[in-house]
Amino acid sequence: MPRPGGRRRRPEPDESPTALAPLTPDDATALVPGTGRPGDHPGDAGDAGDATALVPGPRRRRRAEPDGPLDRVVALVGPGVEVVRRRLGILDAEQKAALTPEQRARRRRSQVKYSLIGTAASVVLLPLLLFGIGWLLFPIPSPDDAVQNQIATVSYADGGQLARLVPEQGNRIRVGMDAIPVHVREAVLAAEDRSFYSNPGFDFTGILRAAFNQLTGGVGGGSTITQQYVKNTLVGNDATYWRKYKELIVSLKVSGQKSKDEILNDYLNAIYFGRGAYGIESASLAYYGKPAAQLTPSEGALLAGIIQSPSNWDPANSPDRARQRWSFVLDGMAQQGWISRADREAAQFPSTIPPQNTSRSSSLTDARGHILNAVRSELGSLGISEQAFAQGGLQVTTTIDPQRQQELTDSVEQKLRGEPDVLRTGAVAIDPRTGGILGYYGGANGTGLDYAQVMKQPGSTFKPFAVLAGLLQDPPVGLGTTFDGSERPGLRNAEGANCPRCDLKQAMTISNNVVFTKLAAQVGPQKVADAARLAGITAPLENPDARLPLGNKEVTPAQLASAYATIAAGGVWHAPHLVSKVVDSEGRVLYEYQPGEGEQRFPEQVARNVAEAMMNVVANDGLQLPGGQEAAGKTGTVQSRFEGQNNDAWFAGFTPDVATAVWVGTDRNDPIQDATGRPINGSDLPGDMWQEFMSTTVRSTGTTEFPPFRPIGESPSSLAPNEPTATPTPSATPTPEPTPEPAAPDQEAPVDPTGTPEPTDGAAPAQQDEPQPGGDAGRAAADPTVG
């Protein structure tokens, strides 16, 4: 009988006992007791007396030899696997089917028991294992290490160091616990951790709450002061499970090795309070101008309240939220019995001193200070707070090319040398292919006003956007479209810019004001504003009128450089940016710019036509680039309220490789004059700066060709403005006055931008009481220009 629980082999069809192979006569005579089948050796079939030896048995199939490597591996490990399965009691389907119901029930109870034991062991042993590993891996940094961990670095595009944000002497002043009043410590406890002296250094429910919030997409979760000290100064502030795990381990180690007073003292000396102040002593000086030992309970409550979000809750930035946090802290102090209810009711919201510039350091008082501030601002727009920048040990890589930056700085400062001290300059250079800012000059004083971001009227540098708007019309207004550019009442041209009949390219070359106000009136002033926005201008441009091409709305040099870069890139807009990559202190990438293919704001052919309209300006103003490099550019001059004077002067232009805008003006919108006392125009000082910088760039990178020009609509004339088409013949009769250009078919007739009909009696131009933007005054203009 087969053994109980054994495996019974089912005979295959050809192995049935009755399925005997036919015997030949020789085979029959060979079947004698003890001999077995033909060819068997004596004794192979067993004992001669064994009756079964006379009966032919089933034929055995010969096992195939393993062919491939996988078959050989299976053949090698197969027996071992079977042993393991047998030891573990793992059965296959046939073996399970052969079990009795009692055996199956007993087996199921055993599996449940061992599963529960394994789960319990995992719950207990796995955390202990992780705790032990973390305890061995994570050391407790010293306070000096914590400080070093917070230092951020800002680098050029090639990795060279642009700035290292080491806090100035005075921004981090360490003081002992005896120099921090008890009521200031209690205010911090009321704001951040009221059970500090009784908890073990970590809040387990807070950790679970933070984990749940992260799973559900929430924020926050709460933590003890010990955890905050560890998080903000030792392990980092990124919201990840790894950071929480590390924070927990280090918090426990800190709690085991330091007293509560030591932890609180380290915390108050290390955390960031905003305004460039690290620690309570520096914060007291930054907000109240006095040491922490002199802080009142009310003043301490204000500082305690802003710890969680210094840049957002600084009373100078958000007085309402600062007051709410101040009240929250004082209420908590009263609840804990640290101040009396009467003192709480009598508390007055403290006043603070105005914040000082927080970017000062020995290496950033020059032009690079403006780059750092612009980087700070851009990081904020990327969701990286001032606190993270100040404490996260971030490594920020910018798009600034160190060679281009030095060349831009040199070109500006060399041209300003010897000029009046009141002159100010902002300049920005952008790579049209990426939107990356290659050079950024906001002024020589890195702690002062950033003139690359000042809002100023751009003058006639806005005229290309009127051309863009006309080309985007249906039907388009091509560069060959002619207008009467003669002066009209209330609107005059600069000296030498009159053009009784010229096309748009000719009018752009000499900066004729009348032509572009007529073009704006024809296509619609709002269309001109929309075109400027397409190119990259982000200023409001509210309520535009026909004078918009003359630059009567304010923009910044950075915006103008970005818009010109879009034209240079064939209508592809790339977001202008300084930050290309941000990495934290542990090497994790927090942000990396992905340029992609940009955004096609308008067709390439349209952009090329706009550039063509600007192509003769550079040569006309004597600002040619070396090597025959073509460049598109435009001057801008904003007139002063004082007759014959100018307030602002611009030059902006581009090659296919770089777009640059330069502004020159003053802090108070005073008339700008050079060292000789002559009014400064766009083609003067700003043009010279632009030419110097662009020339050095061309020498470094070589020349680049613009795409072929394919005109939209009528082609522009190849003649210079006002150049006669044929030799005039003498005439005894006076030449009639030019008549206005008739409106093209299916187009709205141009209207007077002033909204009143032109007088026909030859009246003198109306007097203008306010400054008229956009007029590109001649280098030796004797009369004031208007518009």
Side-chain angles (χ1 to χ4, degrees):
M1 292 182 64
R3 289 177 296 176
R7 185 177 180 184
R8 181 172 299 173
R9 185 173 182 273
R10 181 179 297 171
E12 296 182 6
D14 62 339
E15 295 179 341
S16 174
T18 59
L20 300 178
L23 300 178
T24 64
D26 293 337
D27 292 335
T29 58
L31 286 174
V32 293
T35 61
R37 297 284 298 178
D40 288 345
H41 295 287
D44 285 349
D47 188 79
D50 191 349
T52 60
L54 298 176
V55 181
R59 291 183 296 175
R60 296 181 181 273
R61 292 181 177 179
R62 184 176 181 181
R63 180 177 296 174
E65 293 293 331
D67 295 331
L70 183 60
D71 295 332
R72 287 194 290 272
V73 171
V74 172
L76 179 64
V77 303
V81 173
E82 289 299 328
V83 172
V84 173
R85 288 172 58 89
R86 186 166 61 252
R87 293 287 186 186
L88 296 177
I90 301 174
L91 306 178
D92 58 21
E94 292 184 0
Q95 290 172 325
K96 290 179 181 178
L99 295 177
T100 64
E102 182 181 354
Q103 290 173 325
R104 283 195 290 269
R106 187 166 58 249
R107 180 180 177 82
R108 190 177 300 110
R109 288 194 296 271
S110 177
Q111 289 175 333
V112 171
K113 180 180 69 174
Y114 286 114
S115 296
L116 292 176
I117 293 174
T119 301
S122 299
V123 170
V124 175
L125 296 178
L126 183 59
L128 290 177
L129 177 63
L130 292 175
F131 178 81
I133 293 173
W135 194 273
L136 295 175
L137 285 180
F138 306 137
I140 300 178
S142 67
D144 290 339
D145 292 334
V147 172
Q148 291 298 320
N149 190 51
Q150 297 181 63
I151 293 175
T153 58
V154 180
S155 64
Y156 291 106
D158 64 355
Q161 182 173 295
L162 189 153
R164 189 168 183 262
L165 271 67
V166 181
E168 286 185 80
Q169 185 67 28
N171 278 18
R172 186 190 295 273
I173 304 174
R174 185 175 180 85
V175 294
M177 188 67 93
D178 57 349
I180 306 174
V182 173
H183 54 256
V184 174
R185 301 179 223 164
E186 291 171 342
V188 172
L189 297 182
E192 300 298 320
D193 186 3
R194 299 177 186 180
S195 65
F196 170 71
Y197 279 98
S198 61
N199 65 48
F202 67 93
D203 180 4
F204 187 71
T205 58
I207 293 174
L208 293 179
R209 184 165 60 249
F212 175 77
N213 286 339
Q214 188 166 348
L215 287 173
T216 57
V219 294
S223 59
T224 67
I225 276 182
T226 305
Q227 287 176 270
Q228 290 184 48
Y229 168 66
V230 170
K231 174 181 67 176
N232 292 332
T233 64
L234 305 182
V235 303
N237 196 30
D238 54 311
T240 63
Y241 293 117
W242 172 257
R243 198 269 299 162
K244 272 295 184 187
Y245 164 59
K246 186 176 180 181
E247 175 190 318
L248 174 61
I249 300 299
V250 178
S251 297
L252 291 174
K253 295 185 74 172
V254 169
S255 297
Q257 297 182 18
K258 294 189 176 187
S259 68
K260 289 289 187 178
D261 283 347
E262 288 176 320
I263 295 172
L264 182 58
N265 185 246
D266 287 343
Y267 174 76
L268 289 175
N269 277 289
I271 55 174
Y272 183 65
F273 284 88
R275 299 194 180 188
Y278 297 81
I280 188 67
E281 182 75 0
S282 300
S284 182
L285 293 171
Y287 284 84
Y288 302 111
K290 62 184 180 180
Q294 299 178 13
L295 290 174
T296 66
S298 184
E299 292 170 339
L302 173 61
L303 292 180
I306 65 176
I307 288 175
Q308 287 189 12
S309 184
S311 58
N312 292 328
W313 294 347
D314 185 332
N317 300 332
S318 181
D320 292 338
R321 298 184 67 178
R323 185 179 290 274
Q324 291 174 5
R325 287 290 296 174
W326 172 79
S327 297
F328 168 78
V329 174
L330 287 177
D331 290 342
M333 294 177 70
Q335 291 172 7
Q336 297 294 318
W338 293 332
I339 59 172
S340 66
R341 181 57 60 182
D343 288 340
R344 168 65 187 96
E345 296 298 330
Q348 298 291 324
F349 187 74
S351 59
T352 60
I353 63 177
Q356 302 296 317
N357 189 297
T358 60
S359 67
R360 293 196 303 267
S361 75
S362 58
S363 62
L364 295 176
T365 56
D366 58 13
R368 292 174 297 170
H370 298 302
I371 299 177
L372 178 59
N373 285 335
V375 167
R376 288 179 188 269
S377 177
E378 190 170 322
L379 289 175
S381 68
L382 297 175
I384 300 175
S385 67
E386 178 191 351
Q387 187 169 2
F389 185 51
Q391 293 186 275
L394 303 185
Q395 301 172 35
V396 181
T397 303
T398 69
T399 60
I400 296 292
D401 182 317
Q403 182 178 354
R404 301 285 90 79
Q405 176 65 28
Q406 190 61 52
E407 291 168 352
L408 183 63
T409 301
D410 290 344
S411 66
V412 171
E413 295 185 349
Q414 289 174 7
K415 296 298 181 183
L416 282 177
R417 195 167 297 139
E419 299 294 345
D421 292 338
V422 297
L423 295 180
R424 303 289 183 264
T425 301
V428 178
I430 294 181
D431 183 348
R433 294 159 297 197
T434 65
I437 296 176
L438 304 174
Y440 187 97
Y441 185 87
N445 181 6
T447 63
L449 184 62
D450 182 358
Y451 295 103
Q453 299 291 345
V454 294
M455 297 288 288
K456 295 290 182 178
Q457 290 183 339
S460 293
T461 59
F462 234 64
K463 287 175 179 175
F465 304 125
V467 175
L468 174 60
L471 290 167
L472 293 174
Q473 288 287 98
D474 185 18
V477 181
L479 302 187
T481 305
T482 57
F483 292 85
D484 178 4
S486 302
E487 291 182 354
R488 58 174 54 191
L491 182 61
R492 298 169 59 185
N493 296 314
E495 184 176 348
N498 281 326
C499 186
R501 188 174 186 84
C502 57
D503 60 31
L504 291 180
K505 183 175 181 179
Q506 293 170 328
M508 184 74 75
T509 301
I510 58 176
S511 199
N512 181 284
N513 293 330
V514 175
V515 167
F516 287 98
T517 56
K518 287 185 175 181
L519 175 62
Q522 179 173 318
V523 302
Q526 187 59 52
K527 294 291 184 64
V528 179
D530 294 342
R533 289 191 170 280
L534 279 178
I537 298 296
T538 57
L541 305 180
E542 296 176 349
N543 303 316
D545 57 28
R547 291 177 180 263
L548 181 59
L550 309 186
N552 62 357
K553 302 295 181 180
E554 293 183 336
V555 299
T556 70
Q559 291 179 22
L560 189 63
S562 172
Y564 273 35
T566 302
I567 301 172
V572 179
W573 174 83
H574 295 277
H577 62 281
L578 276 165
V579 178
S580 63
K581 190 175 184 179
V582 182
V583 179
D584 70 8
S585 59
E586 296 186 0
R588 291 186 294 266
V589 177
L590 304 183
Y591 168 79
E592 188 167 11
Y593 180 74
Q594 302 294 335
E597 297 181 357
E599 181 181 334
Q600 189 79 48
R601 293 287 181 89
F602 42 88
E604 187 278 335
Q605 187 181 4
V606 170
R608 181 62 183 85
N609 273 251
V610 177
E612 184 67 24
M614 307 163 65
M615 205 67 78
N616 290 346
V617 173
V618 172
N620 185 72
D621 291 324
L623 302 174
Q624 297 93 328
L625 301 183
Q629 173 65 61
E630 289 186 313
K634 189 68 194 77
T635 55
T637 306
V638 180
Q639 292 184 311
S640 169
R641 64 183 180 276
F642 300 106
E643 185 173 331
Q645 300 295 324
N646 304 318
N647 277 359
D648 303 276
W650 298 70
F651 195 93
F654 55 87
T655 66
D657 294 329
V658 60
T660 305
V662 180
W663 164 84
V664 172
T666 65
D667 289 323
R668 300 175 56 185
N669 286 332
D670 293 326
I672 52 176
Q673 299 175 345
D674 62 18
T676 66
R678 295 171 53 218
I680 297 175
N681 304 309
S683 58
D684 294 330
L685 200 54
D688 292 340
M689 295 174 180
W690 180 89
Q691 182 190 35
E692 180 67 22
F693 169 70
M694 296 293 284
S695 295
T696 55
T697 299
V698 170
R699 294 187 188 101
S700 300
T701 62
T703 60
T704 307
E705 294 184 358
F706 281 87
F709 169 57
R710 295 181 294 114
I712 296 175
E714 187 176 350
S715 298
S717 172
S718 60
L719 299 176
N722 294 318
E723 182 178 346
T725 58
T727 303
T729 57
S731 174
T733 59
T735 304
E737 292 289 328
T739 57
E741 175 79 5
D746 303 325
Q747 291 184 354
E748 182 182 358
V751 298
D752 190 328
T754 62
T756 58
E758 285 193 49
T760 57
D761 57 358
Q767 295 296 321
Q768 300 296 315
D769 295 329
E770 296 297 324
Q772 301 299 321
D776 287 327
R779 293 178 180 264
D783 299 321
T785 58
V786 181

